[in-house]
Amino acid sequence: MKNLFPALLILAGTTLSCQQQTNTATEVPETATIATESTDAAAVKVMHQMFEAFNSHDLAAMQTLYADSVVFMSPEMEKPVVGAHHVKTIYGPLFEMAPNVKDEVKHYIHSNGEVAVEFVSTGTIENISPDDPAQMKGKTFELKIFARLKVKDGKIIEDVSYFDQMAFLKQVGLME
């Protein structure tokens, strides 16, 4: 019991210290909280608009949501791609290949103008190019995707997406 008493004192001191730090941390100027909330609200709004435009297959509307200097990163890209004009080259072929492709947001969190979003992309491959394997036609896919969108001044300035490429290739018949 004698050895337990100093440990309890240390624990009590740590708890009081944490409570004091918590109290200090909550004494943030109200304007700073409002600025973060409005920044996050704007980022969430842009994220929702992007998914609405995607599900409508509206490339022009999607492109307006991206800054001219946006950086795209994803596993299928060898290196980052820069520029809002790439919205058409990234998403146009997908809309052509799978005309019914849709994204469903499952969960998102936001902080400091960034939104991390989990979503599921589903569709059926109906149109394939002459270079694509014929067995892809008619295949359906359901792909879980995670993306981080960084928003500044109402525009997406960074779009980083991750998904399991192997799962997609298996679903469309290109891998066993």
Side-chain angles (χ1 to χ4, degrees):
M1 192 66 139
K2 244 182 182 181
N3 293 336
L4 187 59
F5 187 70
L8 288 174
L9 281 177
I10 292 170
L11 181 61
T14 304
T15 303
L16 287 174
S17 173
C18 288
Q19 286 177 345
Q20 287 174 349
Q21 287 176 357
T22 302
N23 291 341
T24 305
T26 58
E27 294 171 12
V28 176
E30 194 171 316
T31 54
T33 304
I34 291 170
T36 301
E37 288 173 5
S38 69
T39 300
D40 287 353
V44 169
K45 180 180 177 182
V46 169
M47 182 267 302
H48 283 298
Q49 291 172 331
M50 195 274 296
F51 280 102
E52 287 173 23
F54 179 93
N55 287 335
S56 299
H57 297 195
D58 188 342
L59 291 169
M62 285 179 71
Q63 189 168 338
T64 64
L65 297 169
Y66 287 88
D68 290 338
S69 60
V70 63
V71 176
F72 293 96
M73 289 181 266
S74 188
E76 79 278 8
M77 299 173 184
E78 288 183 36
K79 59 184 180 177
V81 175
V82 178
H85 64 282
H86 287 289
V87 167
K88 292 177 181 172
T89 60
I90 293 169
Y91 296 104
L94 174 62
F95 295 158
E96 177 66 29
M97 182 177 65
N100 68 339
V101 66
K102 297 282 185 226
D103 286 346
E104 181 184 351
V105 173
K106 296 294 187 177
H107 180 77
Y108 66 88
I109 57 174
H110 54 84
S111 178
N112 298 318
E114 295 189 45
V115 181
V117 58
E118 297 175 69
F119 60 100
V120 177
S121 188
T122 57
T124 304
I125 297 179
E126 295 180 18
N127 303 307
I128 57 172
S129 75
D131 298 333
D132 292 327
Q135 72 261 32
M136 288 177 60
K137 189 169 177 119
K139 298 285 186 182
T140 60
F141 60 89
E142 180 177 297
L143 192 59
K144 295 175 184 170
I145 304 173
F146 175 84
R148 182 183 50 80
L149 305 174
K150 187 172 187 178
V151 178
K152 183 177 179 185
D153 299 326
K155 300 277 188 176
I156 300 168
I157 62 169
E158 196 171 88
D159 182 334
V160 181
S161 300
Y162 297 96
F163 62 92
D164 184 346
Q165 286 184 297
M166 297 294 275
F168 177 74
L169 295 173
K170 286 178 182 178
Q171 291 178 46
V172 299
L174 297 181
M175 294 197 75
E176 292 183 23

